Amino acid sequence: MSELYGACIIGQSGGPTSVINASAYGVIRTALDSKYITKVYGAAHGIKGVLDDDLYDMGAEAAYELELLLHTPSSALGSCRYKLKDSSVDDTDYKRILEIFKKYDVRYFFYNGGNDSMDTCNKISKYMQSVGYECRIMGVPKTIDNDLFGTDHCPGFASAAKYVATSCMELYHDSRVYDKNMICVVEIMGRHAGWLAASSAVAAYMGQGPDLVYVPEVDFDMEKFLADVERIYKESGECFVAVSEGIHDSTGKLIAEYGAENAPVDAFGHKQLGGLASTLVNILKERLGDVKMRGIELSLLQRCAAHCASETDVKESFLAGKSAVDFAVSGVTDKMVGFKRTTDENGNYKCEIALMELTDVANTEKKLPREWINEDGNGINKQYIDYIMPLIQGAPEMVFENGLPRFAKLKKVHPKQA
Amino acid sequence: MSELYGACIIGQSGGPTSVINASAYGVIRTALDSKYITKVYGAAHGIKGVLDDDLYDMGAEAAYELELLLHTPSSALGSCRYKLKDSSVDDTDYKRILEIFKKYDVRYFFYNGGNDSMDTCNKISKYMQSVGYECRIMGVPKTIDNDLFGTDHCPGFASAAKYVATSCMELYHDSRVYDKNMICVVEIMGRHAGWLAASSAVAAYMGQGPDLVYVPEVDFDMEKFLADVERIYKESGECFVAVSEGIHDSTGKLIAEYGAENAPVDAFGHKQLGGLASTLVNILKERLGDVKMRGIELSLLQRCAAHCASETDVKESFLAGKSAVDFAVSGVTDKMVGFKRTTDENGNYKCEIALMELTDVANTEKKLPREWINEDGNGINKQYIDYIMPLIQGAPEMVFENGLPRFAKLKKVHPKQA
């Protein structure tokens, strides 16, 4: 092991999750406790905070508040969607990052995000190597989409999945309460991958979930969809449908855009784009006429419902952050911390840390395997249930205040300038 | 006490809540354990189950499954929205109800619902008295709207409020994650009363909630609203708004209908009616231009999120059902069980059962007091926070299976016919 003393920066990037702060806490706590890491800085809004010299001194935070990050949703340090140019094209940002790294003697950089964030890590790492600045750079994954390559699953996915499955179960009960039942269409996040929408099938596995599930991995056929819903509705007097926001037809056109075709325009001349759920409900109404229907978009709720997180996910997310620091101080750099699924001596699920190449993660998207989707493309197979079951175990061990979750309140103190 | 032996029927009516089954369980468990009540029947879909002779034998259910009703959302027996005619106009339904009551020797009738259900109770009670059929009839309240007269609060309200406040806190964190923040408009149920939308102010009281709250008790002024949002957005770079679905202008016109004025029509010639949240977002976009905005409708989720119920509400809902039976067997009839707020010897919140006149409850709607809303009509005062705080305490003590809540599965056995 080569010993490297210096400060670290932790940044968060991309869409937040319920547990991204658990990973950040894993980094921050472990870094604060490390003898090699002299200072722990949080970057305000990811890499933008580095570029803007907008850092927080994490050592100035109360330990109790930091620990509350385990169950605080969204990105406590702030996030961004900033894409670094290739340094061969324009190295302005890289020079600035190097300047800030030198200013604060930053020798460790941890970036907590999705595949774009791994791309950022990778580019910074390559640049620092090219200019001979010693700095260990580690990616800590997060995404509710679960589409990161290499890792068995992603921190953040299971908590969103648990919220989706729980909400679908509850909606199932609600939507069947009257003697005249309804058709319910629930829209779930996931532009390119159906991992999250598929979690609604866990509710169905419990006998209380969607009749039909559509994911972007299979081309969506509107006629077949209408026939599916009509058949189930005629048989049982109700139909519950779960859809990924990213479902598309065989030409690649998003179904969410079908509603825009004839361009309804509001009083101000704006196209009124409903979401996918309301688009499908409108099309179903045309076919089925006077049937009670409801389109429900889980919207941002599904990615920030910390109160319904998976405690397994919370613990694994923390572990991902912690391991990133442990590996970095031991000499590892230029890697993403990922998960490998194994079993313990009793054959039970066990999650081990594995290191992934940043380049691989940055440029590959992991889809739901076709064989985990049923042949008709309107349901999810048992392999998926077996895959997700250990990930959604455990209710969050939260602190409450005034009957509501007590989320972390950070002071966000800027470091003293020399 | 006049001793009355016979069967009982429990029915559920109106929109469901997260805890309406806790009240039903209070009735069923207590009735099954009572020496006066010989049989306990559940009516399928409320009074319609009585009219259709569609009853379930609750004694045939497993005790464990019945206990799971405490945390099972929606109406387990099924609900209806059936309004009985006045018996002086048409007594067909009443004759049929009497026939069924005689057939099963029903001497106790418990109806679990909102003000329409209390009206149903009242009408049946009066009719049974008029024909000299001895039967004790009790109303057990439920509503997420909290608009029932006489009772300090309604079973079901606090759980919905807890979900709304929790979700608003989580959305607050999510909506502020980027350096360029967003305007977020959250639509909350409540057509005539703002009790539930006001619960978003608990999140604000925690420093993590809406900047603006609008309820139907105050006429909505669009110009003032736009100015409010613009001012806050310009000051802080973000704005979080919570609105009751029933907000209306000074002419009584619903704001949700503003979007329909110029009638955007979809490909099929249907008016595309967005919800209130999307209507307000569209109007805000016209004023503020290129600002990131999101309209979020909490939809059915807020009334069925049993996983986020208030355990205080669960326990009080159970108590309401139990007390209805206890009072009935002791000779009380023609009343609704309500709550009176008192304090214990240490000055802490205590909830006592009080009996209300069915007629009063059936015909009166309880609004949010004007003085609990701020002078500008865009926020909620401290009195409301003090009122709701004890009601939302306690996390639900649920049973989990496969990482998801284990909801009751009733066999729904029809009674053996003679």
Side-chain angles (χ1 to χ4, degrees):
Chain A
M1 166 175 156
S2 90
E3 294 189 352
L4 179 64
Y5 291 85
C8 86
I9 288 179
I10 156 89
Q12 298 178 302
S13 178
T17 78
S18 293
V19 298
I20 184 170
N21 289 325
S23 288
Y25 178 61
V27 170
I28 293 166
R29 183 70 270 155
T30 314
L32 285 171
D33 295 343
S34 163
K35 67 173 180 173
Y36 300 100
I37 296 178
T38 50
K39 272 282 189 185
V40 182
Y41 298 112
H45 302 291
I47 197 65
K48 289 201 72 180
V50 180
L51 295 167
D52 298 342
D53 195 358
D54 192 2
L55 304 180
Y56 309 128
D57 178 359
M58 302 316 295
E61 304 291 343
Y64 174 74
E65 294 294 336
L66 287 176
E67 195 177 347
L68 288 173
L69 286 173
L70 280 172
H71 295 98
T72 300
S74 192
S75 305
L77 302 171
S79 186
C80 67
R81 290 200 186 273
Y82 188 85
K83 206 169 164 68
L84 290 175
K85 294 196 185 79
D86 273 336
S87 61
S88 59
V89 176
D90 180 354
D91 65 358
T92 317
D93 282 348
Y94 299 89
K95 284 180 171 160
R96 174 65 176 159
I97 293 168
L98 179 60
E99 185 186 350
I100 297 294
F101 278 17
K102 284 181 173 167
K103 176 176 173 183
Y104 293 98
D105 187 29
V106 172
R107 297 291 170 179
Y108 295 94
F109 181 70
F110 303 99
Y111 213 40
N112 192 188
N115 39 19
D116 284 343
S117 308
M118 299 310 132
D119 182 59
T120 301
C121 277
N122 195 28
K123 284 171 171 164
I124 296 175
S125 184
K126 295 289 171 295
Y127 180 82
M128 294 300 162
Q129 284 167 31
S130 75
V131 297
Y133 181 85
E134 190 175 11
C135 183
R136 296 185 188 151
I137 294 183
M138 298 289 285
V140 183
K142 71 84 212 165
T143 169
I144 62 167
D145 292 331
N146 204 38
D147 58 352
L148 290 190
F149 176 81
T151 184
D152 175 76
H153 57 281
C154 293
F157 162 62
S159 292
K162 184 166 184 150
Y163 175 82
V164 167
T166 302
S167 296
C168 282
M169 271 181 75
E170 292 171 339
L171 288 170
Y172 170 92
H173 284 272
D174 194 292
S175 65
R176 300 168 71 93
V177 75
Y178 294 112
D179 49 338
K180 201 183 163 189
N181 291 324
M182 70 164 93
I183 294 177
C184 195
V185 180
V186 177
E187 176 182 343
I188 298 157
M189 283 178 170
R191 284 180 193 276
H192 305 293
W195 293 99
L196 188 55
S199 69
S200 64
V202 183
Y205 178 70
M206 300 275 281
Q208 304 153 66
D211 302 289
L212 300 164
V213 182
Y214 298 93
V215 292
E217 281 81 356
V218 177
D219 291 343
F220 186 83
D221 178 332
M222 186 62 80
E223 269 312 307
K224 207 175 155 304
F225 163 74
L226 291 171
D228 283 346
V229 174
E230 190 167 13
R231 175 178 47 78
I232 291 169
Y233 183 74
K234 291 201 165 150
E235 276 168 20
S236 67
E238 61 83 40
C239 188
F240 191 155
V241 183
V243 288
S244 279
E245 61 178 335
I247 54 167
H248 53 78
D249 64 23
S250 59
T251 72
K253 182 178 172 175
L254 287 173
I255 306 303
E257 285 171 4
Y258 273 46
E261 208 140 64
N262 287 268
V265 168
D266 73 8
F268 309 104
H270 293 134
K271 271 198 188 189
Q272 274 210 324
L273 271 190
L276 171 62
S278 66
T279 297
L280 288 175
V281 161
N282 283 331
I283 294 171
L284 280 167
K285 276 185 181 157
E286 176 65 12
R287 169 74 68 111
L288 295 172
D290 186 28
V291 171
K292 197 171 170 187
M293 296 190 195
R294 203 177 276 249
I296 297 174
E297 193 187 340
L298 295 186
S299 190
L300 301 180
L301 296 159
Q302 65 201 293
R303 74 177 192 193
C304 65
H307 75 273
C308 191
S310 150
E311 191 65 13
T312 301
D313 191 22
V314 171
K315 288 183 170 148
E316 291 180 355
S317 299
F318 174 85
L319 181 67
K322 180 186 188 310
S323 303
V325 176
D326 289 341
F327 276 112
V329 298
S330 79
V332 173
T333 184
D334 218 15
K335 294 279 189 288
M336 184 189 85
V337 164
F339 295 145
K340 194 180 151 197
R341 181 185 299 237
T342 62
T343 47
D344 67 13
E345 61 274 20
N346 301 314
N348 295 322
Y349 166 84
K350 195 177 153 194
C351 177
E352 282 179 3
I353 295 293
L355 296 175
M356 321 271 155
E357 294 301 328
L358 289 172
T359 326
D360 292 344
V361 182
N363 301 312
T364 326
E365 213 170 37
K366 189 178 70 176
K367 302 285 182 91
L368 199 56
R370 180 59 185 88
E371 62 272 22
W372 290 14
I373 306 163
N374 71 5
E375 210 171 317
D376 278 351
N378 61 10
I380 302 299
N381 289 340
K382 182 69 167 40
Q383 298 100 309
Y384 176 87
I385 306 292
D386 295 338
Y387 165 81
I388 200 173
M389 202 46 83
L391 312 183
I392 58 172
Q393 299 300 315
E397 295 156 11
M398 304 185 84
V399 176
F400 286 86
E401 186 178 297
N402 294 323
L404 300 184
R406 170 66 162 84
F407 296 141
K409 291 176 192 165
L410 299 184
K411 286 183 281 186
K412 297 192 174 177
V413 179
H414 291 284
K416 287 198 190 82
Q417 299 293 334
Chain B
M1 169 177 154
S2 90
E3 293 189 351
L4 179 63
Y5 290 86
C8 86
I9 288 179
I10 156 90
Q12 297 179 301
S13 178
T17 77
S18 293
V19 297
I20 184 168
N21 289 325
S23 288
Y25 178 59
V27 169
I28 293 165
R29 184 70 270 154
T30 314
L32 286 170
D33 295 342
S34 163
K35 67 173 179 172
Y36 299 102
I37 297 177
T38 50
K39 271 282 189 183
V40 181
Y41 297 113
H45 301 292
I47 196 64
K48 289 201 72 182
V50 179
L51 294 167
D52 298 343
D53 195 357
D54 192 2
L55 303 179
Y56 309 128
D57 178 0
M58 302 315 295
E61 302 291 342
Y64 174 74
E65 293 294 336
L66 287 176
E67 195 177 346
L68 287 173
L69 286 173
L70 282 171
H71 296 98
T72 300
S74 193
S75 305
L77 301 171
S79 186
C80 68
R81 290 200 186 273
Y82 188 83
K83 205 167 165 68
L84 290 176
K85 294 197 185 78
D86 273 336
S87 60
S88 60
V89 176
D90 181 353
D91 65 358
T92 317
D93 282 348
Y94 298 90
K95 284 180 172 163
R96 174 66 175 158
I97 293 168
L98 178 60
E99 185 185 351
I100 297 294
F101 277 18
K102 284 180 174 169
K103 176 177 173 184
Y104 294 97
D105 188 28
V106 172
R107 297 293 170 177
Y108 295 93
F109 181 70
F110 303 99
Y111 213 41
N112 192 188
N115 38 19
D116 284 342
S117 308
M118 298 311 132
D119 183 57
T120 300
C121 278
N122 195 29
K123 284 171 170 165
I124 296 175
S125 183
K126 296 290 172 293
Y127 180 81
M128 294 299 161
Q129 284 167 29
S130 75
V131 296
Y133 181 84
E134 191 175 10
C135 184
R136 295 183 189 154
I137 294 182
M138 298 289 287
V140 183
K142 73 83 214 166
T143 169
I144 61 167
D145 292 331
N146 203 38
D147 59 351
L148 289 190
F149 177 81
T151 184
D152 176 76
H153 57 282
C154 293
F157 162 62
S159 292
K162 184 166 183 150
Y163 176 81
V164 167
T166 303
S167 296
C168 282
M169 271 181 74
E170 293 171 339
L171 288 171
Y172 170 92
H173 284 273
D174 193 291
S175 65
R176 300 167 70 93
V177 75
Y178 294 112
D179 50 337
K180 201 181 162 190
N181 291 325
M182 70 163 95
I183 294 176
C184 194
V185 179
V186 177
E187 176 182 343
I188 298 156
M189 282 180 170
R191 284 183 190 276
H192 305 292
W195 293 99
L196 188 56
S199 69
S200 64
V202 183
Y205 177 70
M206 301 276 280
Q208 302 153 65
D211 300 288
L212 300 165
V213 182
Y214 298 94
V215 291
E217 282 81 356
V218 177
D219 290 344
F220 186 84
D221 178 332
M222 187 62 80
E223 268 313 307
K224 206 175 153 303
F225 163 74
L226 292 170
D228 283 346
V229 175
E230 190 167 12
R231 175 178 47 78
I232 291 169
Y233 183 74
K234 291 203 165 147
E235 276 168 21
S236 67
E238 62 84 39
C239 188
F240 190 159
V241 183
V243 288
S244 280
E245 60 177 335
I247 54 167
H248 52 78
D249 64 23
S250 59
T251 73
K253 183 179 171 174
L254 286 172
I255 305 304
E257 286 171 4
Y258 274 47
E261 209 142 64
N262 287 269
V265 168
D266 72 9
F268 309 104
H270 293 136
K271 271 198 188 189
Q272 274 210 324
L273 271 189
L276 171 62
S278 66
T279 297
L280 287 175
V281 161
N282 282 332
I283 295 172
L284 280 167
K285 275 184 180 157
E286 176 63 13
R287 170 72 70 111
L288 296 172
D290 186 28
V291 171
K292 197 171 170 187
M293 295 190 197
R294 207 181 268 251
I296 297 174
E297 193 187 339
L298 295 186
S299 191
L300 301 180
L301 297 160
Q302 64 201 294
R303 74 177 193 194
C304 65
H307 76 274
C308 190
S310 150
E311 191 65 14
T312 301
D313 191 22
V314 171
K315 287 182 172 149
E316 291 181 353
S317 299
F318 174 83
L319 180 67
K322 180 186 188 310
S323 303
V325 176
D326 288 341
F327 276 113
V329 297
S330 79
V332 173
T333 184
D334 217 15
K335 294 277 189 288
M336 184 189 87
V337 165
F339 295 146
K340 194 181 152 196
R341 181 185 299 239
T342 61
T343 47
D344 67 12
E345 59 273 22
N346 301 315
N348 294 323
Y349 166 83
K350 195 176 152 195
C351 176
E352 283 179 4
I353 295 294
L355 296 175
M356 320 274 156
E357 294 301 328
L358 290 171
T359 327
D360 292 346
V361 181
N363 301 311
T364 327
E365 213 171 39
K366 190 178 70 176
K367 303 286 182 89
L368 200 56
R370 181 59 184 87
E371 63 272 22
W372 290 14
I373 306 163
N374 72 4
E375 210 172 317
D376 278 352
N378 61 11
I380 302 299
N381 289 340
K382 182 69 164 43
Q383 297 102 308
Y384 176 87
I385 306 293
D386 295 338
Y387 164 82
I388 201 174
M389 202 47 84
L391 311 183
I392 58 172
Q393 298 300 315
E397 294 156 13
M398 304 184 84
V399 176
F400 287 86
E401 186 178 298
N402 294 324
L404 300 184
R406 170 67 162 83
F407 296 141
K409 290 175 193 165
L410 300 184
K411 286 184 280 186
K412 298 195 175 175
V413 179
H414 292 284
K416 288 198 188 83
Q417 299 292 334

